[in-house]
Amino acid sequence: MNEILAVRHITKTYPGVKALDDVSVVFQEGEVHAVVGENGAGKTTLMKILYGMLPADSGEILYRGNIVTLRCPRDAQAIGISMIHQELNPIKDLTVAENMFVGRYPTKGGFVDWQAMNSMSQELFEHWNVDFNPKRKVRDLSTAQMQMLDILKAISYDAKLIIMDEPTSALTEHEVLMLFSFIEELKNKGITIIVITHKLDEVFQIADRVTVLRDGQKIITCAIEEMDHDKLISMMVGREISNVYPKREYHAQEAVLEVRNLNRGSKVKNVSFQLRRGEILGFAGIVGAGRTETLRCIFGLDRIDSGEIELEGRHIHIRKPRDAIKNGIVMVTENRKEDGLVLCRSIMENVVLPSTFINSKHGVLRKSHESDKAKAMCKKLLVRTPSYRNIVNQLSGGNQQKVVIAKWLMMSPKIMILDEPTRGIDVGARSEIYRIMNDLTAQGVSIIMISSDMEEIIGMADRILVMCEGRISGELIRGEYTQEKILEYAAKVTA
Amino acid sequence: MKIENRLNIAELFSRFGIVLILMLAVIVASVASNRFFTRDNILSVFNQCAVIGTLSCGMTMLIVSGNTDLSAGSGIALAGVTCALVIKLTGSWVLALIITLFAMVFTSAIQGFLVAYCSLVPFIITLAGQLAFRGLAYILADGAPIIGMGALNKLATGKVLGVSWLIIITITMVAITWLIMNYTSFGRYIYATGGNREAAVAAGINAKRTILIAYLFMGACTALSGVLLAARTNSGQPSSAVAYEFDAIIACVLGGCGMAGGVGSVVASLAGALTIGVINNCMNLVGISAYYQQIVKGVIIVIAVLIDKKTHDALMYSKAK
């Protein structure tokens, strides 16, 4: 194999932080090269340098043996490097073909040649064995399909090396498989792929070689055969994490929450379930199966059309989050940047926000009282920051998630709903979040966890409800669940 | 840790950078004209800033909550006319103050209700208000200034311990606003609602009520600004205070209020208002024509927005480890 791209002695310093420290990596032509590391390890910085989005302080980049200077993404694209971003933003109301050719529509006599555009797209799709209709609106595509479209677009620009930043973070298991077989296809046709990922299983599934970064330094680059799961984790975190999913005892207790015949639009259909005290109840299913929608209703973020919610034996009416919060139900939402955090305010302010009315007297804040409580909570949850006055946006994903959890724990909740609690979070912070969950259940808090990560839900939940097309399609108790069973329920509609 | 220092500089600048700019403006002004640093002139700068300064209190709260009010200039005229009219009809300045206050809180309440509870865009709603209030002011005044503010004229001429009422009232309003924004739960809800409304609602905050109350407060500030301006001119003038809302918005942005909401301090907004006052005063002293002054103001807006963006980025995107 030939070397396609290499970085040598790359160093990048942000004020106060060495993001990359003398990093050298060689990428071979036609390989799938995984770059792993905890948040803040420098993966994204390295990729941004490769894609011309950031200048390196020192060091050089070689493309097929020649030193290149990449001042902007356009420079990178010109030599055949492309990047697929974590958050895709296709123009949703245009068709697949229009998105492929946006900015360079083929023309005939000054007018757009729609026919040529559609047939050129069709040819490309056929060549790559993907089943897309060029005339379809992008809005109708799934996230995975949009991703594939993005990749195909990169290829149509003659990309030889494609960088993917967390490509599977928004995908369901099934879609992940689809993407992986596509990546395989790309590899077979000689395209080099660099994947940044948090999911170590995926590294072993698709990567030929892996590079581990930690605190801005390269720890190792090696063939995947020379690596195993535990070794990889210990290299990433610099310490042994003996058990990602800590074991705990759970004995069934009385029901705390009873939900009966919940309905909302076409997303939630006749959902009924019970939640017991001190239990971790997992909600599995594919994205769009109605799990998030169901629990948003219970937290009051969405209105229910019909149905009953009973908390500790009495009916409660939840119209808005405030009603849920007052009843001791809190929710760590799926997207913390959207409705979990006020990003431009400090850690302290975010943590004390929901409990403001508890910690104030006649509308006047008792600042030192609440900040003592908040600091104690942040310490307990190991929120890592130089100061609690720092803006939340400056924290890593894992720490942000802990801030969200901290703000709810300030309310001493009875029930905590966690929607994809570890998405985009590194291994170290992840196991800390699991530990917090277990501590809570030991104190009698009941937890509902939505997760698309099979391993996580199997590792953490005491009981799993599987949803499919708005209905609960199956219930599994600890000991009897396997990935296959969950997938089977997730794909089946019970009447 | 090293990071902390840098952070604090970005944070300090976003909060108090305006003080540096104000000092710079003062230095430039005193170099440009030897009449600047006279006692009378400085006091007149302060007096001129009173109206905008008071208005900036409400405007800061609104901008931090993620909203704005373009009707404030017309509101000031309406308040002045209302106040003068009541004095003319009844002779009671107490009654005049009360009625003006209620009138302006009421008009603001309508706008606040439409924005908060009907989810209409504040820009459009308050632009409509701008037109309507101006018209209302002309109708009430029958098209001409209502002369004579009675005892309220003392607000502009009277002094306590050598400090004019204008200055005392402005500083009191700033202090009240600062206390509300920093030491009450309502103040915290303002910041949270402006910073991320979805997250605020998900944290159990009544964002709609919070925004409505911010508008009510704006109404009170408008009333007070209107009375101060009327006192200074000893008349309620329906044609006065055109575009004052922009001066207040510029003051806030110069002071570091993010137009996206969630960030800002009323003390810095006051410094912003003083900066504009000093620049205006300086241009008058050196005899720059009013036409050029408008261009300078335009440039200041651009600079203010640039500063807003830079400090915002520095705050949001510097990484802490």
Side-chain angles (χ1 to χ4, degrees), chain A residues 104-122:
Chain A
R104 45 167 184 156
Y105 284 179
T107 54
K108 205 158 132 191
F111 292 97
V112 176
D113 187 349
W114 300 103
Q115 217 169 7
M117 192 159 83
N118 287 334
S119 65
M120 277 154 76
S121 304
Q122 189 64 49

Side-chain angles (χ1 to χ4, degrees), chain A residues 167-392:
Chain A
T168 61
S169 64
L171 302 188
T172 59
E173 300 268 330
H174 176 68
E175 290 174 324
V176 169
L177 293 179
M178 239 166 77
L179 179 72
F180 284 178
S181 69
F182 186 56
I183 288 179
E184 196 69 26
E185 182 93 29
L186 293 170
K187 193 174 99 176
N188 292 339
K189 291 192 171 147
I191 288 178
T192 312
I193 314 269
I194 302 178
V195 186
I196 305 179
T197 181
H198 276 120
K199 299 185 182 168
L200 302 185
D201 299 347
E202 295 176 357
V203 173
F204 290 99
Q205 279 178 51
I206 54 164
D208 299 309
R209 292 198 307 150
V210 58
T211 292
V212 181
L213 294 178
R214 184 171 80 221
D215 298 331
Q217 288 177 323
K218 190 182 91 167
I219 305 300
I220 192 174
T221 297
C222 69
I224 201 71
E225 294 80 29
E226 299 162 27
M227 188 58 88
D228 65 53
H229 202 274
D230 290 348
K231 204 166 135 194
L232 193 56
I233 289 181
S234 65
M235 279 182 169
M236 279 167 60
V237 297
R239 61 182 187 275
E240 299 276 342
I241 292 183
S242 51
N243 197 340
V244 184
Y245 304 105
K247 289 262 182 308
R248 62 179 241 288
E249 288 288 308
Y250 170 71
H251 303 289
Q253 298 181 49
E254 80 280 13
V256 189
L257 182 78
E258 172 129 26
V259 174
R260 261 175 273 153
N261 303 324
L262 205 67
N263 281 291
R264 177 184 160 81
S266 61
K267 284 290 191 181
V268 182
K269 294 177 195 158
N270 258 325
V271 170
S272 303
F273 66 91
Q274 271 193 345
L275 174 69
R276 302 200 181 94
R277 189 177 305 283
E279 173 186 47
I280 297 181
L281 177 63
F283 268 76
I286 60 169
V287 173
R291 299 170 298 165
T292 299
E293 289 81 359
T294 302
L295 292 158
R296 279 176 69 93
C297 283
I298 293 170
F299 184 57
L301 278 167
D302 295 328
R303 290 269 185 106
I304 56 173
D305 295 339
S306 65
E308 287 171 0
I309 301 172
E310 223 171 66
L311 181 73
E312 291 169 337
R314 66 194 164 82
H315 277 283
I316 53 170
H317 292 282
I318 293 173
R319 281 180 211 87
K320 44 193 177 302
R322 209 158 0 127
D323 302 333
I325 294 166
K326 285 192 173 149
N327 280 302
I329 303 173
V330 301
M331 179 163 179
V332 176
T333 50
E334 190 177 13
N335 191 337
R336 56 183 170 267
K337 297 197 177 198
E338 230 163 64
D339 46 20
L341 291 167
V342 185
L343 289 170
C344 62
R345 304 304 301 175
S346 68
I347 296 167
M348 179 59 71
E349 256 176 88
N350 273 280
V351 172
V352 299
L353 187 57
S355 49
T356 299
F357 72 94
I358 300 174
N359 292 324
S360 59
K361 220 172 181 180
H362 308 303
V364 178
L365 303 174
R366 291 187 291 165
K367 278 198 163 180
S368 66
H369 171 72
E370 62 178 7
S371 81
D372 287 348
K373 280 205 213 168
K375 277 179 194 160
M377 187 58 75
C378 290
K379 277 205 185 108
K380 202 165 134 198
L381 302 193
L382 305 174
V383 176
R384 291 186 185 88
T385 169
S387 154
Y388 296 121
R389 291 181 50 219
N390 278 34
I391 306 292
V392 166

Side-chain angles (χ1 to χ4, degrees), chain B residues 6-308:
Chain B
R6 176 192 148 85
L7 262 181
N8 286 347
I9 290 166
E11 196 177 324
L12 279 176
F13 193 81
S14 80
R15 283 194 190 163
F16 303 112
I18 183 59
V19 177
L20 292 178
I21 297 173
L22 176 58
M23 280 175 356
L24 190 72
V26 168
I27 292 167
V28 170
S30 44
V31 171
S33 165
N34 53 8
R35 278 181 297 158
F36 179 77
F37 246 120
T38 57
R39 193 186 120 83
D40 282 353
N41 187 55
I42 293 290
L43 282 179
S44 92
V45 171
F46 279 128
N47 286 339
Q48 281 161 13
C49 287
V51 176
I52 297 298
T54 309
L55 195 61
S56 304
C57 293
M59 196 61 92
T60 303
M61 198 180 270
L62 271 187
I63 291 180
V64 169
S65 78
N67 294 281
T68 189
D69 184 0
L70 300 182
S71 73
S74 301
I76 287 175
L78 180 58
V81 167
T82 308
C83 192
L85 190 64
V86 176
I87 286 176
K88 190 174 150 191
L89 295 176
T90 69
S92 162
W93 64 271
V94 180
L95 196 62
L97 273 186
I98 293 172
I99 289 178
T100 308
L101 187 66
F102 272 97
M104 297 322 293
V105 170
F106 178 71
T107 51
S108 243
I110 298 172
Q111 302 189 102
F113 177 80
L114 290 171
V115 169
Y117 288 88
C118 306
S119 303
L120 299 175
V121 187
F123 176 79
I124 302 296
I125 291 305
T126 59
L127 200 57
Q130 186 184 80
L131 291 170
F133 301 161
R134 182 69 64 184
L136 195 55
Y138 274 111
I139 292 168
L140 285 181
D142 208 11
I146 303 173
I147 313 287
M149 292 295 288
L152 285 179
N153 188 231
K154 286 224 171 57
L155 285 178
T157 55
K159 287 179 183 177
V160 182
L161 302 170
V163 186
S164 79
W165 275 107
L166 291 172
I167 296 173
I168 292 173
I169 289 173
T170 307
I171 290 176
T172 311
M173 278 310 285
V174 170
I176 290 172
T177 313
W178 183 77
L179 286 173
I180 292 175
M181 302 269 293
N182 289 285
Y183 287 92
T184 67
S185 45
F186 168 68
R188 174 168 296 153
Y189 297 160
I190 288 274
Y191 281 105
T193 303
N196 183 349
R197 186 166 172 174
E198 275 74 39
V201 171
I205 291 167
N206 190 338
K208 291 177 179 172
R209 192 174 67 190
T210 305
I211 292 171
L212 178 63
I213 296 176
Y215 270 97
L216 299 185
F217 186 77
M218 182 66 190
C221 291
T222 310
L224 204 50
S225 302
V227 171
L228 293 183
L229 184 66
R232 283 189 60 203
T233 54
N234 196 28
S235 59
Q237 301 194 8
S239 61
S240 65
V242 171
Y244 272 31
E245 63 277 352
F246 285 110
D247 282 2
I249 291 171
I250 299 165
C252 293
V253 173
L254 272 176
C257 287
M259 285 309 286
V263 185
S265 149
V266 68
V267 179
S269 297
L270 178 67
L274 282 173
T275 307
I276 297 171
V278 168
I279 293 172
N280 280 343
N281 178 262
C282 172
M283 290 193 293
N284 284 331
L285 287 179
V286 292
I288 295 175
S289 91
Y291 304 140
Y292 284 97
Q293 290 196 13
Q294 295 198 5
I295 296 178
V296 172
K297 253 191 197 164
V299 173
I300 293 173
I301 296 177
V302 174
I303 293 172
V305 176
L306 263 178
I307 293 173
D308 172 41

Side-chain angles (χ1 to χ4, degrees), chain A residues 403-436:
Chain A
V403 170
V404 179
I405 296 175
K407 82 171 184 181
W408 290 129
L409 295 190
M410 294 281 285
M411 304 290 299
S412 318
K414 289 177 192 149
I415 296 169
M416 184 174 240
I417 303 166
L418 295 148
D419 193 352
E420 303 287 359
T422 62
R423 176 181 289 174
I425 287 175
D426 62 65
V427 184
R430 197 181 266 237
S431 73
E432 279 166 21
I433 286 172
Y434 297 146
R435 180 185 57 79
I436 295 165

